Amino acid sequence: MEKLTINDIAKLAGVSTATVSNFLNHNYGKMSAKTRAHVAKIITEHNYHPNSVARDLAKNDNKTIGVSIADITNPFSATVLSGISAVFNQAGYRMIFTNADNDQDTETSNILRLQAQNVAGIIIDPVNPDNPIYQTLSNNDIVMFDRQMETLTFDSVATNDTEAVEEMTKRMMIAGYDELYFVSWPLEKVSTLK
């Protein structure tokens, strides 16, 4: 079944789209109680739910943020994504999430798709922080996390891995460990692992 629009609801109710819009925005002062009840009945009967993205765009209040993740199977990325989602939920924002599967071409495609959806901003966990796609983006609506850029500057959030490893090593030595092993992804092109 095709999704109904505000115009469809207005035609079914025999009222103007402005009346339906006023109803949906709780502006009841411009309609009689009878009209209000009638519009509510039509909306309920047809299980109509307004398109929140369209409403936000009409009000110039886009609350959708794109998130591009390098590799969702990385436990760090999954933890960060969970945190982003929790903060967005509290603040009333929506998230469109993409996974690049550690492939630069997929990442580029994902970012272009997010831009085409007119998201308010994009949070990026980059596959390659020096991907040429970033030369086309603005620092006004982009934030990077984890891997850092060498040639361009975007606002970035990164952990201090050196300090964290030093602190972990000290704690392990205090706890009596005398053999430590370091296992990592290849360090090339991953600024946070250098």
Side-chain angles (χ1 to χ4, degrees):
M1 182 176 186
E2 191 173 319
K3 184 168 173 50
L4 293 175
T5 67
I6 192 171
N7 291 331
D8 296 327
I9 294 299
K11 286 177 187 172
L12 289 167
V15 297
S16 70
T17 55
T19 299
V20 176
S21 178
N22 284 328
F23 177 87
L24 294 171
N25 290 303
H26 309 288
N27 297 327
Y28 305 125
K30 297 182 179 184
M31 68 187 76
S32 69
K34 182 178 178 183
T35 299
R36 179 178 169 184
H38 179 63
V39 172
K41 180 178 181 233
I42 296 296
I43 286 172
T44 302
E45 284 176 357
H46 294 279
N47 196 26
Y48 173 73
H49 298 284
N51 181 328
S52 58
V53 173
R55 288 176 71 188
D56 288 347
L57 288 173
K59 292 191 273 182
N60 199 20
D61 186 27
N62 188 348
K63 291 194 174 230
T64 302
I65 305 292
V67 181
S68 174
I69 299 293
D71 178 17
I72 193 59
T73 63
N74 181 323
F76 173 77
S77 298
T79 300
V80 171
L81 187 60
S82 177
I84 291 170
S85 178
V87 170
F88 282 2
N89 287 338
Q90 289 175 350
Y93 280 77
R94 289 177 298 276
M95 172 175 61
I96 299 174
F97 153 73
T98 65
N99 177 32
D101 240 354
N102 269 326
D103 179 75
Q104 181 173 309
D105 292 337
T106 302
E107 175 181 64
T108 299
S109 176
N110 288 346
I111 291 169
L112 292 172
R113 201 167 44 246
L114 290 170
Q115 286 182 309
Q117 293 182 33
N118 292 319
V119 295
I122 304 175
I123 299 173
I124 302 171
D125 169 27
V127 171
N128 172 7
D130 294 304
N131 182 342
I133 184 71
Y134 300 128
Q135 294 175 11
T136 67
L137 305 178
S138 165
N139 191 44
N140 293 332
D141 53 10
I142 301 291
V143 174
M144 279 191 172
F145 74 91
D146 195 22
R147 301 171 188 172
Q148 304 296 295
M149 305 177 84
E150 291 181 17
T151 57
L152 294 173
T153 305
F154 283 103
D155 290 332
S156 300
V157 178
T159 57
N160 185 338
D161 290 334
T162 302
E163 187 178 298
V165 169
E166 286 174 3
E167 179 64 26
M168 179 186 72
T169 303
K170 286 178 189 173
R171 289 182 183 210
M172 291 179 77
M173 291 173 72
I174 291 169
Y177 292 91
D178 57 7
E179 290 187 38
L180 304 175
Y181 298 92
F182 178 74
V183 179
S184 173
W185 293 91
L187 300 179
E188 185 180 326
K189 292 278 188 188
V190 182
S191 61
T192 55
L193 295 177
K194 293 181 182 177

